[in-house]
Amino acid sequence: MALIQASDLTKIYGKGDTALVALDHVFLEVEAGEFVAVMGPSGCGKSTLLRCINRLTEPTSGQVIFRGEEVTRPETDVRALRQRIGFVFQNFALYRHLSALDNIKLGLRKLRGLADGEATARAKHELRRMNMEDHEKKFPGQLSGGQKQRVAIARALAMDPAVLFFDEPTSALDPRMAREVVALINQLYLDNVTMLCVTHDVFLARHISDRVLFLDHGQVRAEGDADHLLDDHDDPHIRAFFGRETQNP
């Protein structure tokens, strides 16, 4: 069984004539150890898909099964679910008043109930893994965009999740920092970390992903190998989209 299975996942904002269909009966499967890239035009429902799976946003209808358990039921322990799904946000979502080390320790202390010493040891381990051990006492305002992203990834990994969700991990970074983060994500992939990644980064999709899911107007328009979707898909709309993206890496 797949690690994640989403069936008929639908999200509608509003009602009547003003209703906005963000997700329209989406089906998705993610296997353990897989890297799946979710791509498509801005506003097509990519981020909503991630947020519905981990219940940051409540889906209107449909079903999500995570590790064999339906997690869209009303009685689901949402707090426990989010501990098993690491989420790296587009804007990093670091607490400005906490150091890099304390940003990572916070969830370990509050959610996992670890003692301070154990939380510190685990946080330091993940900072070393991200080559950020020399910056543990710095606050987010003292870090570059790439360094903030590394701390955000370390924070997610420290919770020992079953899967990592990335929401546009390179969009807020300059080209050099973006390539550094791509290299980091590639290392996580080689370490067999399961990842579901919303991205416009063609390089990331082409060189790391196992599959690309192409969304448009909340619907899955195509799914498959990145090279096929990016280079020779028979849908002219999809070809045109990736043609524009390739010209603007």
Side-chain angles (χ1 to χ4, degrees):
M1 177 179 289
L3 181 68
I4 299 172
Q5 294 175 300
S7 304
D8 260 337
L9 200 60
T10 299
K11 178 60 183 179
I12 302 173
Y13 293 101
K15 296 181 180 179
D17 295 338
T18 61
L20 172 65
V21 181
L23 294 178
D24 189 0
H25 301 284
V26 169
F27 288 81
L28 166 72
E29 289 193 355
V30 180
E31 301 286 346
E34 204 175 21
F35 182 103
V36 178
V38 183
M39 306 186 77
S42 297
C44 71
K46 302 186 298 294
S47 297
T48 301
L49 175 61
L50 299 189
R51 296 176 70 90
C52 281
I53 292 174
N54 84 335
R55 300 280 299 276
L56 280 171
T57 296
E58 288 299 318
T60 303
S61 61
Q63 182 185 70
V64 175
I65 296 175
F66 178 67
R67 302 180 86 177
E69 175 189 352
E70 185 186 346
V71 295
T72 38
R73 298 175 301 168
E75 62 269 27
T76 294
D77 185 341
V78 175
R79 181 169 164 170
L81 171 67
R82 292 175 188 161
Q83 290 183 47
R84 294 179 287 166
I85 299 177
F87 205 122
V88 181
F89 296 89
Q90 184 175 2
N91 63 354
F92 318 123
L94 299 175
Y95 291 101
R96 291 179 294 177
H97 66 290
L98 296 178
S99 68
L101 182 67
D102 287 337
N103 261 283
I104 299 170
K105 287 173 56 179
L106 184 64
L108 295 170
R109 295 289 309 277
K110 299 293 186 181
L111 299 176
R112 287 294 177 89
L114 298 188
D116 185 73
E118 188 176 357
T120 298
R122 185 176 295 188
K124 284 177 175 286
H125 168 76
E126 295 301 343
L127 283 170
R128 286 194 298 273
R129 188 175 178 185
M130 297 295 111
N131 295 317
M132 286 293 293
E133 63 269 29
D134 293 337
H135 305 279
E136 66 176 44
K137 295 182 180 179
K138 292 182 180 179
F139 292 87
Q142 299 171 300
L143 301 174
S144 69
Q147 290 169 338
K148 291 176 187 176
Q149 189 68 289
R150 288 172 181 267
V151 174
I153 295 171
R155 179 178 59 183
L157 289 171
M159 300 296 288
D160 194 25
V163 59
L164 273 185
F165 284 3
F166 288 94
D167 192 0
E168 298 285 7
T170 60
S171 67
L173 307 176
D174 65 40
R176 180 182 63 82
M177 289 183 179
R179 295 287 76 83
E180 289 179 1
V181 169
V182 169
L184 180 61
I185 292 173
N186 185 57
Q187 185 57 55
L188 293 175
Y189 178 69
L190 295 176
D191 290 342
N192 207 37
V193 175
T194 308
M195 291 174 278
L196 181 61
C197 179
V198 165
T199 185
H200 282 90
D201 192 322
V202 169
F203 183 90
L204 175 61
R206 188 186 294 275
H207 294 283
I208 301 179
S209 74
D210 293 293
R211 287 184 291 119
V212 171
L213 191 78
F214 183 81
L215 283 182
D216 193 16
H217 292 92
Q219 296 182 331
V220 178
R221 291 283 299 275
E223 181 179 2
D225 175 79
D227 287 338
H228 173 57
L229 264 66
L230 271 59
D231 295 333
D232 60 357
H233 197 275
D234 56 8
D235 186 328
H237 177 74
I238 295 174
R239 289 202 308 272
F241 172 81
F242 285 116
R244 288 195 298 273
E245 293 299 317
T246 303
Q247 293 167 17
N248 297 280

